[in-house]
């Protein structure tokens, strides 16, 4: 009897990280989700507004535990091989709602962000496309052990950047996004499906050379 030994499709969570209705980053997230699906992965498209949670407060955590929104987002992350975050830029940095969600989820053990692959994208009416916000977003994610993909994608003047069908109006930028998503998925597949290709990631002098993963605050 012949059996199909091929692994199941990769599971990718695409998170639109703006709370605003009609957000440009929601449109970008929808486009990325379609590209992920066309690349053969299973995609889950989510909006940050689905995961309601108060501003992080240690007293609230001690008295009431973790909010349902943080637990729900953590579960979506746990069930995914990778996450794509489409984030706006607020004052050249991370939006407060997204940072707050990261802070709440970081309290959960096992740590949901640890060793999770992430691709960061942004859309903004500005000429820099939200790129500064993505650089700031890398810091808490990498601190928690997320393997943030080196190449990021930022869509400048995004209010003019989408066609009626949801593609990018600039064909060159559209192709670059397609290639970035494909390359990211190939890396995720190599790391999650083929154990012989896994590499240890070291960043600090305190990391043990014989450790399977780095030993940091992510633990």
């Amino acid at each position: 009897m012949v059996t199909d030994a091929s692994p199941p499709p990769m599971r990718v969570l695409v998170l639109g990280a703006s709370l605003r209705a009609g957000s440009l980053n929601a449109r970008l997230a929808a486009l990325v989700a379609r590209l992920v699906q066309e690349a053969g992965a299973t995609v889950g498209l989510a909006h940050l507004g689905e995961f309601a949670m108060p501003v992080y407060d240690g007293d609230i955590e001690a008295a009431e535990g973790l909010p349902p929104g943080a637990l729900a987002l953590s579960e979506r992350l746990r069930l995914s091989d990778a996450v794509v975050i489409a984030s706006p830029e607020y004052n050249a940095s991370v939006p407060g709602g997204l940072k707050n969600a990261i802070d709440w989820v970081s309290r959960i053990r096992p740590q949901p962000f640890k060793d999770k692959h992430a691709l960061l994208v942004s859309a903004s009416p500005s000429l820099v496309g939200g790129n500064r916000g993505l650089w700031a977003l890398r810091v808490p994610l990498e601190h928690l052990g997320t393997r943030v993909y080196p190449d990021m994608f930022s869509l400048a003047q995004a209010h003019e950047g989408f066609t009626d069908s949801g593609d990018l109006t600039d064909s060159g930028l559209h192709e670059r996004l397609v290639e970035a998503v494909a390359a990211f998925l190939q890396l995720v597949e190599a790391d999650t499906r083929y154990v012989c290709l896994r590499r240890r990631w070291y960043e600090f002098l305190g990391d043990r050379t014989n450790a399977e993963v780095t030993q940091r605050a992510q633990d």
Side-chain angles (χ1 to χ4, degrees):
M1 182 176 67
V2 177
T3 59
D4 184 4
S6 60
M10 289 182 297
R11 300 161 299 178
V12 180
L13 173 64
V14 179
L15 178 64
S18 174
L19 296 173
R20 184 175 64 85
S23 163
L24 293 170
N25 282 280
R27 298 182 69 179
L28 183 58
L31 172 56
V32 171
R34 174 160 59 86
L35 296 179
V36 168
Q37 188 172 42
E38 290 174 353
T42 298
V43 63
L45 179 60
H47 183 272
L48 188 61
E50 299 172 30
F51 309 102
M53 56 193 90
V55 174
Y56 179 77
D57 184 331
D59 290 339
I60 292 178
E61 181 184 7
E64 304 175 15
L66 296 163
L71 294 172
L73 179 55
S74 173
E75 181 66 6
R76 295 291 294 272
L77 286 166
R78 186 186 69 81
L79 295 174
S80 301
D81 296 306
V83 59
V84 181
I85 302 177
S87 175
E89 175 185 289
Y90 287 4
N91 298 312
S93 191
V94 184
L98 176 57
K99 180 58 167 60
N100 184 59
I102 293 172
D103 290 343
W104 270 114
V105 172
S106 75
R107 303 295 296 170
I108 297 171
R109 296 294 182 272
Q111 170 50 247
F113 287 109
K114 182 177 179 178
D115 297 330
K116 192 70 63 179
H117 287 274
L119 173 65
L120 305 184
V121 299
S122 63
S124 172
S126 75
L127 294 176
V128 294
N131 185 259
R132 296 167 299 185
L134 296 187
W135 279 109
L137 178 56
R138 296 185 72 100
V139 175
L141 291 177
E142 291 182 337
H143 173 75
L144 293 171
T146 308
R147 298 178 175 183
V148 183
Y149 190 63
D151 191 20
M152 304 182 293
F153 179 86
S154 296
L155 179 63
Q157 296 183 301
H159 58 296
E160 301 173 345
F162 295 93
T163 67
D164 292 339
S165 63
D167 292 335
L168 299 184
T169 55
D170 186 315
S171 59
L173 282 178
H174 187 86
E175 184 60 29
R176 177 172 173 257
L177 179 59
V178 171
E179 292 174 354
V181 169
F184 172 67
L185 293 177
Q186 289 170 6
L187 176 62
V188 175
E189 181 179 26
D191 187 66
T192 61
R193 298 291 188 259
Y194 305 105
V195 178
C196 61
L197 297 180
R198 289 184 178 177
R199 297 178 300 173
R200 296 186 176 99
W201 289 38
Y202 299 109
E203 293 185 21
F204 299 106
L205 293 177
D207 290 341
R208 303 197 313 269
T209 56
N210 63 344
E212 181 179 353
V213 294
T214 56
Q215 304 298 310
R216 297 182 281 166
Q218 57 178 286
D219 298 315

